[in-house]
Short mmCIF file of all heavy atoms in Angstrom, two decimals:
data_model
loop_
_atom_site.label_atom_id
_atom_site.label_comp_id
_atom_site.label_asym_id
_atom_site.label_seq_id
_atom_site.Cartn_x
_atom_site.Cartn_y
_atom_site.Cartn_z
N MET A 16 -0.98 -20.82 13.88
CA MET A 16 -0.75 -19.59 14.67
C MET A 16 -1.60 -18.48 14.00
O MET A 16 -1.63 -18.39 12.77
CB MET A 16 0.71 -19.35 14.60
CG MET A 16 1.06 -18.00 15.35
SD MET A 16 2.75 -17.41 15.20
CE MET A 16 3.76 -18.86 15.33
N SER A 17 -2.33 -17.78 14.90
CA SER A 17 -3.08 -16.64 14.36
C SER A 17 -2.27 -15.45 14.03
O SER A 17 -1.09 -15.34 14.57
CB SER A 17 -4.19 -16.30 15.39
OG SER A 17 -3.62 -15.55 16.40
N ILE A 18 -2.80 -14.51 13.33
CA ILE A 18 -2.15 -13.27 12.95
C ILE A 18 -1.82 -12.46 14.21
O ILE A 18 -0.74 -11.86 14.39
CB ILE A 18 -2.87 -12.42 11.97
CG1 ILE A 18 -2.05 -11.25 11.44
CG2 ILE A 18 -4.20 -11.98 12.52
CD1 ILE A 18 -0.88 -11.60 10.60
N TRP A 19 -2.73 -12.53 15.19
CA TRP A 19 -2.52 -11.78 16.44
C TRP A 19 -1.40 -12.29 17.28
O TRP A 19 -0.67 -11.59 17.95
CB TRP A 19 -3.82 -11.63 17.26
CG TRP A 19 -4.79 -10.85 16.47
CD1 TRP A 19 -6.02 -11.38 15.94
CD2 TRP A 19 -4.77 -9.52 16.04
NE1 TRP A 19 -6.67 -10.33 15.24
CE2 TRP A 19 -5.93 -9.18 15.26
CE3 TRP A 19 -3.78 -8.51 16.26
CZ2 TRP A 19 -6.12 -7.96 14.73
CZ3 TRP A 19 -4.06 -7.26 15.66
CH2 TRP A 19 -5.17 -7.04 14.93
N THR A 20 -1.28 -13.67 17.26
CA THR A 20 -0.18 -14.28 18.07
C THR A 20 1.17 -13.85 17.38
O THR A 20 2.09 -13.52 18.17
CB THR A 20 -0.25 -15.88 17.97
OG1 THR A 20 -1.55 -16.20 18.46
CG2 THR A 20 0.83 -16.52 18.73
N ALA A 21 1.30 -13.85 16.11
CA ALA A 21 2.42 -13.33 15.42
C ALA A 21 2.72 -11.85 15.78
O ALA A 21 3.90 -11.45 16.03
CB ALA A 21 2.41 -13.58 13.88
N TYR A 22 1.71 -10.98 15.67
CA TYR A 22 1.92 -9.64 16.08
C TYR A 22 2.32 -9.49 17.51
O TYR A 22 3.28 -8.66 17.79
CB TYR A 22 0.53 -8.84 15.94
CG TYR A 22 0.34 -8.06 14.73
CD1 TYR A 22 0.27 -8.65 13.52
CD2 TYR A 22 0.34 -6.68 14.77
CE1 TYR A 22 0.08 -7.91 12.32
CE2 TYR A 22 0.15 -5.93 13.69
CZ TYR A 22 0.05 -6.55 12.46
OH TYR A 22 -0.11 -5.87 11.27
N ASN A 23 1.66 -10.16 18.44
CA ASN A 23 2.11 -10.10 19.81
C ASN A 23 3.55 -10.54 20.03
O ASN A 23 4.37 -9.88 20.71
CB ASN A 23 1.19 -10.92 20.78
CG ASN A 23 -0.16 -10.30 20.79
OD1 ASN A 23 -0.34 -9.14 20.64
ND2 ASN A 23 -1.17 -11.07 21.14
N GLN A 24 3.95 -11.67 19.41
CA GLN A 24 5.28 -12.12 19.50
C GLN A 24 6.39 -11.18 18.88
O GLN A 24 7.33 -10.95 19.53
CB GLN A 24 5.41 -13.55 18.86
CG GLN A 24 6.75 -14.19 19.07
CD GLN A 24 7.11 -14.44 20.53
OE1 GLN A 24 6.22 -14.94 21.25
NE2 GLN A 24 8.29 -14.15 21.00
N THR A 25 5.99 -10.53 17.76
CA THR A 25 6.94 -9.61 17.11
C THR A 25 7.07 -8.38 17.93
O THR A 25 8.14 -7.89 18.21
CB THR A 25 6.32 -9.22 15.71
OG1 THR A 25 6.28 -10.41 14.94
CG2 THR A 25 7.30 -8.27 15.11
N ALA A 26 6.02 -7.86 18.48
CA ALA A 26 6.00 -6.64 19.37
C ALA A 26 6.74 -7.01 20.61
O ALA A 26 7.59 -6.17 21.05
CB ALA A 26 4.54 -6.28 19.77
N HIS A 27 6.62 -8.19 21.15
CA HIS A 27 7.36 -8.63 22.40
C HIS A 27 8.88 -8.57 22.05
O HIS A 27 9.69 -8.10 22.80
CB HIS A 27 6.90 -9.99 22.85
CG HIS A 27 7.74 -10.50 24.02
ND1 HIS A 27 7.54 -9.98 25.28
CD2 HIS A 27 8.59 -11.46 24.10
CE1 HIS A 27 8.34 -10.69 26.13
NE2 HIS A 27 9.00 -11.51 25.37
N ASN A 28 9.26 -9.21 20.92
CA ASN A 28 10.67 -9.34 20.56
C ASN A 28 11.28 -7.97 20.29
O ASN A 28 12.50 -7.72 20.47
CB ASN A 28 10.79 -10.20 19.30
CG ASN A 28 10.51 -11.63 19.57
OD1 ASN A 28 10.56 -12.07 20.64
ND2 ASN A 28 10.28 -12.38 18.46
N LEU A 29 10.53 -6.95 19.81
CA LEU A 29 10.99 -5.56 19.56
C LEU A 29 10.78 -4.65 20.82
O LEU A 29 11.21 -3.50 20.67
CB LEU A 29 10.20 -4.93 18.39
CG LEU A 29 10.43 -5.63 17.05
CD1 LEU A 29 9.37 -5.10 16.00
CD2 LEU A 29 11.83 -5.49 16.60
N PHE A 30 10.29 -5.18 21.83
CA PHE A 30 10.08 -4.42 23.07
C PHE A 30 9.14 -3.26 22.87
O PHE A 30 9.44 -2.13 23.39
CB PHE A 30 11.37 -3.97 23.69
CG PHE A 30 12.37 -5.15 24.02
CD1 PHE A 30 13.47 -5.39 23.28
CD2 PHE A 30 12.10 -5.94 25.18
CE1 PHE A 30 14.26 -6.49 23.55
CE2 PHE A 30 12.89 -7.00 25.48
CZ PHE A 30 13.95 -7.25 24.63
N VAL A 31 8.05 -3.37 22.10
CA VAL A 31 7.10 -2.35 21.78
C VAL A 31 5.72 -2.93 22.07
O VAL A 31 5.46 -4.18 22.02
CB VAL A 31 7.21 -1.69 20.44
CG1 VAL A 31 8.57 -1.04 20.19
CG2 VAL A 31 6.96 -2.81 19.36
N HIS A 32 4.73 -2.10 22.25
CA HIS A 32 3.32 -2.53 22.36
C HIS A 32 2.88 -2.85 20.96
O HIS A 32 3.32 -2.33 19.92
CB HIS A 32 2.55 -1.34 23.00
CG HIS A 32 1.15 -1.84 23.35
ND1 HIS A 32 0.05 -1.79 22.53
CD2 HIS A 32 0.63 -2.22 24.61
CE1 HIS A 32 -1.04 -2.19 23.11
NE2 HIS A 32 -0.64 -2.45 24.41
N ARG A 33 1.91 -3.82 20.85
CA ARG A 33 1.45 -4.25 19.52
C ARG A 33 0.75 -3.12 18.79
O ARG A 33 0.88 -3.15 17.50
CB ARG A 33 0.44 -5.48 19.76
CG ARG A 33 -0.77 -5.13 20.40
CD ARG A 33 -1.78 -6.34 20.41
NE ARG A 33 -2.96 -5.99 21.14
CZ ARG A 33 -3.29 -6.47 22.35
NH1 ARG A 33 -2.43 -7.34 22.91
NH2 ARG A 33 -4.33 -6.17 22.94
N ASN A 34 0.17 -2.14 19.45
CA ASN A 34 -0.36 -0.93 18.76
C ASN A 34 0.75 -0.14 18.13
O ASN A 34 0.59 0.43 17.05
CB ASN A 34 -1.20 -0.12 19.66
CG ASN A 34 -2.51 -0.85 20.11
OD1 ASN A 34 -2.90 -1.82 19.44
ND2 ASN A 34 -3.15 -0.38 21.21
N THR A 35 1.83 0.00 18.85
CA THR A 35 3.00 0.68 18.28
C THR A 35 3.50 0.01 17.11
O THR A 35 3.79 0.66 16.04
CB THR A 35 4.21 0.78 19.31
OG1 THR A 35 3.58 1.35 20.55
CG2 THR A 35 5.32 1.55 18.86
N LEU A 36 3.58 -1.31 17.14
CA LEU A 36 4.08 -2.06 15.91
C LEU A 36 3.09 -1.81 14.74
O LEU A 36 3.54 -1.60 13.67
CB LEU A 36 4.12 -3.59 16.24
CG LEU A 36 4.38 -4.50 15.09
CD1 LEU A 36 5.72 -4.25 14.47
CD2 LEU A 36 4.30 -5.94 15.63
N ASN A 37 1.68 -1.93 15.00
CA ASN A 37 0.84 -1.71 13.97
C ASN A 37 0.92 -0.29 13.41
O ASN A 37 0.90 -0.10 12.19
CB ASN A 37 -0.61 -1.94 14.53
CG ASN A 37 -1.62 -2.02 13.42
OD1 ASN A 37 -1.43 -2.67 12.38
ND2 ASN A 37 -2.73 -1.24 13.62
N ASN A 38 1.09 0.72 14.23
CA ASN A 38 1.19 2.12 13.71
C ASN A 38 2.50 2.29 12.92
O ASN A 38 2.53 3.00 11.89
CB ASN A 38 1.31 3.08 14.91
CG ASN A 38 -0.06 3.22 15.62
OD1 ASN A 38 -1.08 2.94 15.01
ND2 ASN A 38 -0.08 3.64 16.90
N ARG A 39 3.63 1.59 13.29
CA ARG A 39 4.83 1.65 12.51
C ARG A 39 4.61 1.00 11.07
O ARG A 39 5.17 1.57 10.14
CB ARG A 39 5.93 1.07 13.29
CG ARG A 39 6.40 1.91 14.40
CD ARG A 39 7.50 1.26 15.21
NE ARG A 39 7.90 2.05 16.35
CZ ARG A 39 8.79 1.68 17.25
NH1 ARG A 39 9.52 0.62 17.06
NH2 ARG A 39 9.02 2.45 18.29
N LEU A 40 3.98 -0.15 11.06
CA LEU A 40 3.68 -0.74 9.84
C LEU A 40 2.76 0.12 8.91
O LEU A 40 3.00 0.23 7.75
CB LEU A 40 3.06 -2.19 10.00
CG LEU A 40 3.99 -3.18 10.70
CD1 LEU A 40 3.25 -4.44 11.03
CD2 LEU A 40 5.14 -3.44 9.80
N LEU A 41 1.81 0.76 9.51
CA LEU A 41 0.93 1.71 8.80
C LEU A 41 1.71 2.81 8.24
O LEU A 41 1.49 3.31 7.10
CB LEU A 41 -0.26 2.15 9.57
CG LEU A 41 -1.26 1.07 9.92
CD1 LEU A 41 -2.30 1.61 10.91
CD2 LEU A 41 -2.01 0.61 8.70
N ARG A 42 2.68 3.36 9.01
CA ARG A 42 3.52 4.46 8.58
C ARG A 42 4.38 4.11 7.38
O ARG A 42 4.56 4.82 6.47
CB ARG A 42 4.35 4.93 9.76
CG ARG A 42 5.11 6.20 9.40
CD ARG A 42 5.80 6.84 10.65
NE ARG A 42 6.48 8.07 10.22
CZ ARG A 42 7.48 8.45 10.83
NH1 ARG A 42 8.01 7.81 11.87
NH2 ARG A 42 8.17 9.54 10.42
N ILE A 43 4.98 2.84 7.51
CA ILE A 43 5.76 2.38 6.33
C ILE A 43 4.94 2.28 5.16
O ILE A 43 5.35 2.65 4.02
CB ILE A 43 6.35 0.99 6.82
CG1 ILE A 43 7.52 1.17 7.77
CG2 ILE A 43 6.94 0.30 5.56
CD1 ILE A 43 7.99 -0.07 8.39
N LYS A 44 3.69 1.72 5.26
CA LYS A 44 2.81 1.57 4.14
C LYS A 44 2.56 2.94 3.51
O LYS A 44 2.48 3.13 2.30
CB LYS A 44 1.52 0.94 4.57
CG LYS A 44 0.58 0.57 3.42
CD LYS A 44 -0.67 -0.14 4.00
CE LYS A 44 -1.64 -0.45 2.90
NZ LYS A 44 -2.74 -1.19 3.38
N LYS A 45 2.29 3.93 4.41
CA LYS A 45 1.89 5.32 3.85
C LYS A 45 3.16 5.97 3.24
O LYS A 45 3.06 6.60 2.14
CB LYS A 45 1.48 6.12 5.00
CG LYS A 45 0.99 7.54 4.47
CD LYS A 45 0.46 8.33 5.69
CE LYS A 45 0.03 9.70 5.37
NZ LYS A 45 -0.47 10.51 6.48
N LEU A 46 4.33 5.93 3.80
CA LEU A 46 5.55 6.54 3.32
C LEU A 46 6.02 6.01 1.93
O LEU A 46 6.39 6.71 1.09
CB LEU A 46 6.69 6.50 4.27
CG LEU A 46 6.57 7.38 5.55
CD1 LEU A 46 7.67 7.06 6.49
CD2 LEU A 46 6.76 8.87 5.13
N PHE A 47 6.06 4.64 1.90
CA PHE A 47 6.65 3.96 0.67
C PHE A 47 5.56 3.35 -0.25
O PHE A 47 5.99 2.92 -1.32
CB PHE A 47 7.61 2.84 1.22
CG PHE A 47 8.74 3.34 2.08
CD1 PHE A 47 8.82 3.14 3.38
CD2 PHE A 47 9.81 4.09 1.44
CE1 PHE A 47 9.80 3.67 4.19
CE2 PHE A 47 10.88 4.57 2.17
CZ PHE A 47 10.92 4.38 3.55
N GLU A 48 4.31 3.49 0.17
CA GLU A 48 3.32 2.96 -0.68
C GLU A 48 3.49 1.48 -0.95
O GLU A 48 3.25 0.93 -2.07
CB GLU A 48 3.10 3.80 -2.00
CG GLU A 48 2.67 5.22 -1.75
CD GLU A 48 2.51 6.02 -3.02
OE1 GLU A 48 2.80 5.46 -4.04
OE2 GLU A 48 2.24 7.20 -2.89
N LEU A 49 4.13 0.78 0.01
CA LEU A 49 4.32 -0.65 -0.03
C LEU A 49 3.78 -1.25 1.27
O LEU A 49 3.96 -0.71 2.35
CB LEU A 49 5.79 -0.99 -0.22
CG LEU A 49 6.45 -0.62 -1.39
CD1 LEU A 49 7.95 -0.67 -1.30
CD2 LEU A 49 5.96 -1.40 -2.61
N ASP A 50 3.08 -2.28 1.16
CA ASP A 50 2.48 -2.94 2.37
C ASP A 50 3.38 -4.02 2.94
O ASP A 50 3.66 -5.03 2.21
CB ASP A 50 1.09 -3.59 1.95
CG ASP A 50 0.33 -4.10 3.09
OD1 ASP A 50 0.82 -4.03 4.26
OD2 ASP A 50 -0.79 -4.71 2.90
N PRO A 51 3.90 -3.82 4.04
CA PRO A 51 4.86 -4.87 4.71
C PRO A 51 4.24 -6.11 4.97
O PRO A 51 4.86 -7.12 5.31
CB PRO A 51 5.42 -4.15 5.94
CG PRO A 51 4.60 -2.95 6.16
CD PRO A 51 3.83 -2.65 4.96
N LYS A 52 2.91 -6.17 4.94
CA LYS A 52 2.18 -7.49 5.11
C LYS A 52 2.06 -8.35 3.86
O LYS A 52 1.71 -9.48 3.95
CB LYS A 52 0.74 -7.22 5.69
CG LYS A 52 0.78 -6.50 7.00
CD LYS A 52 -0.53 -6.23 7.48
CE LYS A 52 -0.51 -5.40 8.76
NZ LYS A 52 -1.88 -4.90 9.14
N ASN A 53 2.40 -7.75 2.76
CA ASN A 53 2.41 -8.34 1.46
C ASN A 53 3.77 -8.88 1.17
O ASN A 53 4.80 -8.12 1.23
CB ASN A 53 1.95 -7.38 0.36
CG ASN A 53 1.98 -7.91 -1.06
OD1 ASN A 53 2.95 -8.45 -1.52
ND2 ASN A 53 0.78 -7.79 -1.77
N THR A 54 3.98 -10.02 0.80
CA THR A 54 5.34 -10.70 0.66
C THR A 54 6.15 -10.05 -0.41
O THR A 54 7.35 -9.69 -0.22
CB THR A 54 5.16 -12.16 0.29
OG1 THR A 54 4.40 -12.75 1.30
CG2 THR A 54 6.50 -12.83 0.28
N GLU A 55 5.48 -9.66 -1.56
CA GLU A 55 6.32 -8.99 -2.63
C GLU A 55 6.76 -7.58 -2.22
O GLU A 55 7.88 -7.25 -2.47
CB GLU A 55 5.48 -8.92 -3.90
CG GLU A 55 5.24 -10.26 -4.53
CD GLU A 55 4.33 -10.25 -5.72
OE1 GLU A 55 4.04 -9.10 -6.20
OE2 GLU A 55 3.89 -11.32 -6.19
N ASP A 56 5.83 -6.87 -1.54
CA ASP A 56 6.20 -5.49 -1.05
C ASP A 56 7.26 -5.65 0.01
O ASP A 56 8.14 -4.72 0.06
CB ASP A 56 4.91 -4.82 -0.54
CG ASP A 56 4.02 -4.43 -1.66
OD1 ASP A 56 4.33 -4.52 -2.85
OD2 ASP A 56 2.87 -3.94 -1.31
N LEU A 57 7.07 -6.54 0.88
CA LEU A 57 8.13 -6.76 2.01
C LEU A 57 9.49 -7.04 1.41
O LEU A 57 10.52 -6.53 1.88
CB LEU A 57 7.69 -7.90 2.89
CG LEU A 57 8.53 -8.16 4.15
CD1 LEU A 57 8.71 -6.93 5.02
CD2 LEU A 57 8.10 -9.43 4.86
N PHE A 58 9.55 -7.84 0.30
CA PHE A 58 10.79 -8.08 -0.34
C PHE A 58 11.44 -6.76 -0.89
O PHE A 58 12.61 -6.62 -0.82
CB PHE A 58 10.64 -9.13 -1.37
CG PHE A 58 11.88 -9.54 -2.14
CD1 PHE A 58 12.83 -10.28 -1.51
CD2 PHE A 58 12.14 -9.09 -3.43
CE1 PHE A 58 14.05 -10.61 -2.13
CE2 PHE A 58 13.29 -9.38 -4.12
CZ PHE A 58 14.25 -10.13 -3.44
N GLN A 59 10.54 -6.00 -1.51
CA GLN A 59 11.12 -4.76 -2.06
C GLN A 59 11.57 -3.82 -0.97
O GLN A 59 12.63 -3.18 -1.07
CB GLN A 59 9.99 -3.96 -2.83
CG GLN A 59 9.69 -4.66 -4.18
CD GLN A 59 8.61 -3.77 -4.95
OE1 GLN A 59 8.06 -2.80 -4.46
NE2 GLN A 59 8.32 -4.29 -6.09
N LEU A 60 10.89 -3.75 0.16
CA LEU A 60 11.37 -2.96 1.33
C LEU A 60 12.74 -3.54 1.81
O LEU A 60 13.65 -2.82 2.16
CB LEU A 60 10.40 -2.99 2.48
CG LEU A 60 9.08 -2.17 2.25
CD1 LEU A 60 8.03 -2.59 3.15
CD2 LEU A 60 9.46 -0.71 2.28
N PHE A 61 12.83 -4.87 1.94
CA PHE A 61 14.08 -5.48 2.37
C PHE A 61 15.25 -5.22 1.45
O PHE A 61 16.28 -4.78 1.89
CB PHE A 61 13.87 -7.01 2.43
CG PHE A 61 15.10 -7.72 2.90
CD1 PHE A 61 15.59 -7.68 4.22
CD2 PHE A 61 15.79 -8.54 1.91
CE1 PHE A 61 16.76 -8.37 4.48
CE2 PHE A 61 16.97 -9.20 2.34
CZ PHE A 61 17.48 -9.08 3.64
N ILE A 62 15.05 -5.26 0.18
CA ILE A 62 16.11 -5.01 -0.83
C ILE A 62 16.47 -3.54 -0.72
O ILE A 62 17.68 -3.11 -0.77
CB ILE A 62 15.63 -5.37 -2.29
CG1 ILE A 62 15.50 -6.93 -2.38
CG2 ILE A 62 16.67 -4.81 -3.25
CD1 ILE A 62 16.75 -7.67 -2.11
N GLY A 63 15.52 -2.65 -0.56
CA GLY A 63 15.76 -1.19 -0.41
C GLY A 63 16.56 -0.95 0.80
O GLY A 63 17.50 -0.17 0.78
N TYR A 64 16.30 -1.62 1.85
CA TYR A 64 16.98 -1.38 3.18
C TYR A 64 18.45 -1.88 2.94
O TYR A 64 19.40 -1.25 3.45
CB TYR A 64 16.35 -2.11 4.36
CG TYR A 64 17.13 -2.18 5.52
CD1 TYR A 64 17.23 -1.00 6.31
CD2 TYR A 64 17.88 -3.36 5.87
CE1 TYR A 64 18.06 -0.97 7.46
CE2 TYR A 64 18.64 -3.23 7.06
CZ TYR A 64 18.70 -2.15 7.88
OH TYR A 64 19.51 -2.18 8.97
N ILE A 65 18.58 -3.11 2.43
CA ILE A 65 19.99 -3.60 2.24
C ILE A 65 20.77 -2.71 1.30
O ILE A 65 21.93 -2.46 1.60
CB ILE A 65 19.88 -5.05 1.66
CG1 ILE A 65 19.24 -5.96 2.58
CG2 ILE A 65 21.29 -5.56 1.27
CD1 ILE A 65 19.97 -6.23 3.94
N THR A 66 20.18 -2.18 0.33
CA THR A 66 20.92 -1.23 -0.64
C THR A 66 21.26 -0.05 0.12
O THR A 66 22.41 0.47 0.02
CB THR A 66 20.07 -0.99 -1.85
OG1 THR A 66 19.69 -2.17 -2.45
CG2 THR A 66 20.73 -0.02 -2.79
N PHE A 67 20.39 0.60 0.88
CA PHE A 67 20.66 1.77 1.68
C PHE A 67 21.79 1.46 2.60
O PHE A 67 22.64 2.24 2.75
CB PHE A 67 19.42 2.19 2.37
CG PHE A 67 19.64 3.39 3.31
CD1 PHE A 67 19.67 4.69 2.79
CD2 PHE A 67 19.77 3.18 4.73
CE1 PHE A 67 19.90 5.73 3.65
CE2 PHE A 67 19.94 4.28 5.49
CZ PHE A 67 20.09 5.57 5.05
N TYR A 68 21.68 0.43 3.38
CA TYR A 68 22.71 0.07 4.37
C TYR A 68 24.10 -0.08 3.74
O TYR A 68 25.04 0.36 4.19
CB TYR A 68 22.30 -1.15 5.10
CG TYR A 68 23.36 -1.54 6.16
CD1 TYR A 68 23.38 -0.97 7.40
CD2 TYR A 68 24.25 -2.56 5.97
CE1 TYR A 68 24.25 -1.26 8.33
CE2 TYR A 68 25.15 -3.00 6.88
CZ TYR A 68 25.16 -2.36 8.08
OH TYR A 68 26.11 -2.60 9.04
N TYR A 69 24.13 -0.76 2.61
CA TYR A 69 25.44 -1.11 1.84
C TYR A 69 25.99 0.26 1.38
O TYR A 69 27.16 0.48 1.56
CB TYR A 69 25.14 -2.00 0.73
CG TYR A 69 26.34 -2.27 -0.20
CD1 TYR A 69 27.43 -3.05 0.32
CD2 TYR A 69 26.49 -1.59 -1.40
CE1 TYR A 69 28.54 -3.30 -0.41
CE2 TYR A 69 27.59 -1.84 -2.15
CZ TYR A 69 28.61 -2.66 -1.69
OH TYR A 69 29.76 -2.88 -2.43
N ARG A 70 25.23 1.16 0.84
CA ARG A 70 25.73 2.41 0.40
C ARG A 70 26.24 3.26 1.49
O ARG A 70 27.13 4.08 1.33
CB ARG A 70 24.68 3.19 -0.39
CG ARG A 70 24.31 2.45 -1.69
CD ARG A 70 23.37 3.22 -2.56
NE ARG A 70 24.09 4.21 -3.19
CZ ARG A 70 23.55 5.31 -3.86
NH1 ARG A 70 22.29 5.39 -3.98
NH2 ARG A 70 24.31 6.19 -4.45
N GLN A 71 25.68 3.14 2.75
CA GLN A 71 26.17 3.93 3.79
C GLN A 71 27.59 3.44 4.33
O GLN A 71 28.27 4.15 4.97
CB GLN A 71 25.16 3.91 4.97
CG GLN A 71 23.80 4.47 4.68
CD GLN A 71 23.93 5.92 4.43
OE1 GLN A 71 24.59 6.69 5.19
NE2 GLN A 71 23.29 6.42 3.38
N THR A 72 27.82 2.14 4.11
CA THR A 72 29.20 1.61 4.60
C THR A 72 30.27 1.79 3.61
O THR A 72 31.34 1.56 3.98
CB THR A 72 28.96 0.09 4.94
OG1 THR A 72 28.60 -0.52 3.66
CG2 THR A 72 27.92 -0.16 5.94
N LEU A 73 30.01 2.38 2.38
CA LEU A 73 31.09 2.55 1.47
C LEU A 73 31.92 3.73 1.77
O LEU A 73 31.59 4.75 2.45
CB LEU A 73 30.50 2.69 0.02
CG LEU A 73 29.92 1.50 -0.54
CD1 LEU A 73 29.33 1.80 -1.92
CD2 LEU A 73 30.88 0.34 -0.68
#
């Protein structure tokens, strides 16, 4: 599977255009200085999200 196929499928599942998806990923990269395309950075973003969500439910 090519990277573009994955992008297209992800955009389709999120009901957004693939350019919108790319812009959002670039914004995340700029805001958090973590690249969501990098596995280690994606893990850090995931843990941060889970922590944020958990603290909001307390």
Side-chain angles (χ1 to χ4, degrees):
M16 180 185 319
S17 75
I18 186 73
W19 296 114
T20 303
Y22 258 68
N23 289 338
Q24 186 62 43
T25 302
H27 176 75
N28 291 342
L29 294 172
F30 301 104
V31 297
H32 192 273
R33 66 176 178 252
N34 292 341
T35 303
L36 174 62
N37 190 46
N38 289 338
R39 289 180 184 178
L40 291 173
L41 289 173
R42 186 169 181 213
I43 289 170
K44 184 176 181 178
K45 183 178 178 182
L46 285 172
F47 298 106
E48 297 178 359
L49 294 169
D50 186 2
K52 296 176 188 173
N53 177 307
T54 306
E55 292 177 9
D56 289 351
L57 182 60
F58 181 72
Q59 287 183 359
L60 288 166
F61 177 73
I62 294 300
Y64 172 76
I65 295 299
T66 303
F67 176 79
Y68 180 79
Y69 176 74
R70 292 185 78 191
Q71 296 297 316
T72 60
L73 293 178

